[in-house]
Amino acid sequence: MSPTPAVPGGKRPTLADVAARADVSVALVSVVMRGAKGAGAATRERVLQAAKEIGYRPDTRARLLRSSRSRLLGVQFGLQQPFHTDLVEGLYAAAEPLGYQIALGAVAPSRSERQAVEALLADRCEALILLGPQAPAARLAELAAQLPVVSVARRLRPTPVGVDVVRTADDEGARQAVDHLVSLGHRDIAHIDGGRAPGAADRRRGYRTAMNRHGLGEHAQVQPGGLTEEDGAAAARALLDADRRPTAVLAFNDRCATGVLDTLLRARVPVPGEISVVGFDDSRLARLAHIDLTTVGQDIARLAQLTVGRAVARLEGEAPREGEGQEVVIEPHLVTRGTTAAPPAT
């Protein structure tokens, strides 16, 4: 149970209130709260106990703003992307032990990437972490000239100076999905692609490479799609109306796959009895019990750790602020659940 502030009028407790409670000076309370030297163990314990009793909490943001550094990592993310939500959670976990905080800049249908970034810059963020950015490489280089930039989940060729890249091997993930479906006996495997979304070209290439490797090049079909449930639903309807209906579908991401599942359910097409479905990301959406989606997993914790590590390395002088960008590629892993099985007997 949270302590009840023991301050007249219910106002937010201050350093002076803690000092009065502990019967010490305000300066000594400040020393304790900053974790600085100058207070004995007994005094430190008394001050911390007094702070706890009256519900005092340091205003960390105000203290940072008074200093020459903000220690804020600005994160641009897609508000409607479950995978981004999972990544943000991982970034918090990776940043806090290093003494950094996260500031969020959401991208939504009514809010552009540029608006999100400008808001983060106005918050005095020291570095930018961009999740699946779609801005041109020239724009990323422009930002990197101002502060460290880490692009997550997007291949950049060539990598702009000052921009680090942390991503999953998307092509390998698509190959794993195809290998899994072929091992179950599928031959007619369709891919619903992500258009121009980050990672889409690599996943499309990985799908085609795997199909050709299995001698199934003539069975390959790429259906235009996108990132959303609506994109997946529209693509699924087109596949159902096609002359050659696939027995398996690899969707661009989990949201797209969810749209596919909904359309198949409404059309009374059994999954996986008649058509198997594979997503990509292993977002929390895929893990819901009623969806139970087979998907290609990305290592969220590792992506987050490496991303924060690259940003902090530049900020702490462990890497040149304007040096060549570094790309780190992480291997994906297939997560098998209930939406894939052997194709129906012919």
Side-chain angles (χ1 to χ4, degrees):
M1 185 173 180
S2 300
T4 302
V7 178
K11 295 180 181 179
R12 179 173 179 167
T14 65
L15 285 177
D17 297 319
V18 177
R21 183 83 168 193
D23 194 23
V24 297
S25 68
V26 173
L28 189 54
V29 172
S30 178
V31 166
V32 172
M33 292 304 167
R34 287 185 287 112
K37 296 180 179 179
T43 300
R44 187 177 300 275
E45 179 62 29
R46 188 164 79 252
V47 168
L48 292 175
Q49 180 61 34
K52 180 179 180 181
E53 290 173 356
I54 67 173
Y56 172 80
R57 290 187 177 183
D59 189 341
T60 307
R61 179 66 64 89
R63 175 170 55 81
L64 289 173
L65 289 175
R66 288 193 297 270
S67 71
S68 59
R69 295 191 58 186
S70 70
R71 300 190 73 83
L72 284 175
L73 305 178
V75 178
Q76 170 201 290
F77 74 108
L79 190 61
Q80 297 178 314
Q81 296 298 328
F83 174 62
H84 287 190
T85 303
D86 291 346
L87 257 177
V88 166
E89 186 175 344
L91 292 171
Y92 273 114
E96 289 178 358
L98 300 179
Y100 284 83
Q101 297 183 44
I102 297 293
L104 299 178
V107 178
S110 61
R111 194 166 192 257
S112 69
E113 285 189 4
R114 183 174 288 273
Q115 288 175 300
V117 167
E118 291 300 327
L120 293 172
L121 294 176
D123 278 345
R124 296 180 65 237
C125 292
E126 294 188 339
L128 289 178
I129 294 172
L130 310 178
L131 307 188
Q134 299 198 41
R139 169 60 176 165
L140 300 184
E142 177 185 312
L143 290 169
Q146 304 175 52
L147 73 175
V149 173
V150 183
S151 172
V152 185
R154 176 187 171 185
R155 179 198 289 266
L156 293 170
R157 288 289 187 270
T159 304
V161 174
V163 178
D164 291 313
V165 174
V166 180
R167 65 179 181 88
T168 295
D170 291 291
D171 51 352
E172 172 60 23
R175 286 196 292 268
Q176 288 182 15
V178 172
D179 289 349
H180 167 65
L181 292 168
V182 171
S183 73
L184 293 173
H186 292 277
R187 296 174 60 81
D188 289 308
I189 304 168
H191 174 47
I192 300 175
D193 85 346
R196 300 181 64 182
D202 283 350
R203 296 178 194 183
R204 188 164 52 243
R205 182 173 61 253
Y207 160 77
R208 290 191 181 279
T209 298
M211 291 293 284
N212 288 329
R213 191 178 70 244
H214 288 290
L216 300 174
E218 63 181 16
H219 293 267
Q221 56 176 317
V222 176
Q223 180 65 38
L227 291 79
T228 70
E229 293 89 347
E230 292 78 12
D231 293 326
R237 288 192 292 269
L239 290 173
L240 289 177
D241 291 338
D243 294 336
R244 192 182 74 199
R245 179 182 291 188
T247 62
V249 173
L250 167 60
F252 170 69
N253 65 9
D254 293 342
R255 284 187 68 192
C256 182
T258 302
V260 173
L261 292 174
D262 181 68
T263 296
L264 296 180
L265 177 64
R266 293 174 186 274
R268 298 186 179 181
V269 176
V271 176
E274 193 168 323
I275 296 182
S276 290
V277 178
V278 181
F280 206 112
D281 290 339
D282 193 27
S283 64
R284 63 188 64 198
L285 184 64
R287 300 191 292 270
L288 293 174
H290 67 285
I291 294 180
D292 196 32
L293 179 67
T294 293
T295 184
V296 177
Q298 302 197 57
D299 190 338
I300 298 288
R302 186 69 176 145
L303 283 169
Q305 183 183 51
L306 289 171
T307 296
V308 170
R310 290 307 305 163
V312 171
R314 293 210 180 234
L315 290 172
E316 302 293 343
E318 298 171 18
R321 286 290 294 266
E322 298 180 357
E324 290 294 329
Q326 179 182 16
E327 181 183 62
V328 182
V329 183
I330 300 172
E331 289 295 305
H333 59 281
L334 186 74
V335 181
T336 305
R337 296 194 180 95
T339 58
T340 53
T346 56

